[in-house]
């Protein structure tokens, strides 16, 4: 049974790739799952892997017991441009009519991602453990200027440290670094180091490898 009646859920262990291609309308590339990966999907949802692999629930060692969850609701879309790895313990929700776009790189363990409109993550990214990314508050403050949901865009070659929270409406420029434990609620310019609660400029310009 799924999250809603319109969503069915499957438990993947060593399920054949050909079946997955048909089930999710994956036109190119390859979906790889490790261990217990639960995927909830609406029939109107879609996954497109343009090149190489999307690997879910990747594990650092064989003793890691964590599973991962990916949910696509009605008309939810996941677009993967190139090789992308998401490590164990992830919880990814792509809600009605929302689009999650992944470039290339990896996200470490225990990701919490909720996409209600649009989240774009660029190429060659490195995202640490226990990161939260949400493009919606889910509740409205009773004022005229409060927007509940706004898109998030994370640029290319961005490094996000562990235990970071990225909130709605944020744009993180190419080459930026977010220090561990930060709360990002405002835009981050390219090639800058931001950190703190809330995150602020610590150094610019910066580069990393």
């Amino acid at each position: 049974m799924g999250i809603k009646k319109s969503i069915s859920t499957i438990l993947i262990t060593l399920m054949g790739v050909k079946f997955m291609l048909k089930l999710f309308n994956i036109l190119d590339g390859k979906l790889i799952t490790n261990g217990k990966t639960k995927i909830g999907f609406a029939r109107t949802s879609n996954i497109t892997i343009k090149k190489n692999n999307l690997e879910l629930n990747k594990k650092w060692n064989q003793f890691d017991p964590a599973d991962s969850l990916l949910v696509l609701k009605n008309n939810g879309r996941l677009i993967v441009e190139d090789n992308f790895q998401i490590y164990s313990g992830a919880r990814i929700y792509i809600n009605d009519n929302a689009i999650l776009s992944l470039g290339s790189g990896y996200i470490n363990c225990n990701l919490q991602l909720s996409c209600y409109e649009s989240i774009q993550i660029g190429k060659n990214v490195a995202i640490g453990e226990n990161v939260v990314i949400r493009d919606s508050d889910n509740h409205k403050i009773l004022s005229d200027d409060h927007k509940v949901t706004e898109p998030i865009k994370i640029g290319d070659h961005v490094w996000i440290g562990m235990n970071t929270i990225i909130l709605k409406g944020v744009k993180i420029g190419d080459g930026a670094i977010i220090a561990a434990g930060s709360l990002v609620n405002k835009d981050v310019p390219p090639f800058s180091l931001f950190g703190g609660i809330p995150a602020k400029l610590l150094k610019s310009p910066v580069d990393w490898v």
Side-chain angles (χ1 to χ4, degrees):
M1 298 300 292
I3 306 302
K4 292 183 178 180
K5 291 183 179 179
S6 61
I7 298 176
S8 55
T9 302
I10 58 175
L11 179 65
I12 300 172
T13 52
L14 297 175
M15 190 169 291
V17 173
K18 289 183 180 179
F19 178 72
M20 297 297 298
L21 291 172
K22 182 178 180 181
L23 188 62
F24 293 113
N25 300 314
I26 299 175
L27 303 177
D28 300 291
K30 186 177 180 181
L31 174 63
I32 300 173
T33 63
N34 299 283
K36 295 181 179 179
T37 303
K38 297 179 181 179
I39 299 181
F41 62 97
R43 293 189 179 276
T44 55
S45 63
N46 182 265
I47 298 176
T48 300
I49 302 175
K50 295 184 177 181
K51 183 180 179 182
N52 294 316
N53 302 326
L54 169 63
E55 186 170 5
L56 299 176
N57 206 43
K58 186 175 176 65
K59 298 178 184 296
W60 287 106
N61 65 73
Q62 61 181 327
F63 303 108
D64 182 352
D67 60 5
S68 290
L69 174 66
L70 169 63
V71 175
L72 296 96
K73 295 189 177 181
N74 292 315
N75 299 310
R77 295 174 60 196
L78 171 59
I79 302 171
V80 184
E81 299 290 338
D82 206 337
N83 273 328
F84 208 102
Q85 299 170 331
I86 300 176
Y87 281 78
S88 60
R91 298 292 182 267
I92 302 169
Y93 301 93
I94 305 173
N95 291 281
D96 294 346
N97 304 307
I99 301 175
L100 172 60
S101 177
L102 304 176
S104 63
Y106 71 89
I107 302 176
N108 216 326
C109 303
N110 302 321
L111 168 69
Q112 300 288 328
L113 186 150
S114 293
C115 181
Y116 286 84
E117 182 176 333
S118 173
I119 297 176
Q120 293 179 258
I121 299 176
K123 297 180 180 179
N124 191 29
V125 298
I127 300 178
E129 300 172 13
N130 306 317
V131 167
V132 176
I133 305 174
R134 296 182 57 91
D135 68 353
S136 182
D137 294 336
N138 294 115
H139 300 280
K140 182 171 178 59
I141 298 174
L142 298 179
S143 64
D144 293 336
D145 58 351
H146 177 240
K147 295 182 179 179
V148 176
T149 302
E150 293 182 89
I152 291 172
K153 184 174 182 179
I154 298 171
D156 296 338
H157 193 57
V158 170
W159 176 13
I160 298 174
M162 66 176 67
N163 300 316
T164 291
I165 299 174
I166 300 174
L167 298 180
K168 67 173 190 186
V170 165
K171 295 180 182 179
I172 300 177
D174 294 347
I177 302 172
I178 308 299
S182 298
L183 172 65
V184 185
N185 61 357
K186 294 182 179 178
D187 290 353
V188 175
F191 307 106
S192 59
L193 170 61
F194 266 57
I197 303 176
K200 61 182 181 180
L201 179 63
L202 300 178
K203 185 177 180 181
S204 180
V206 294
D207 199 2
W208 66 276
V209 292

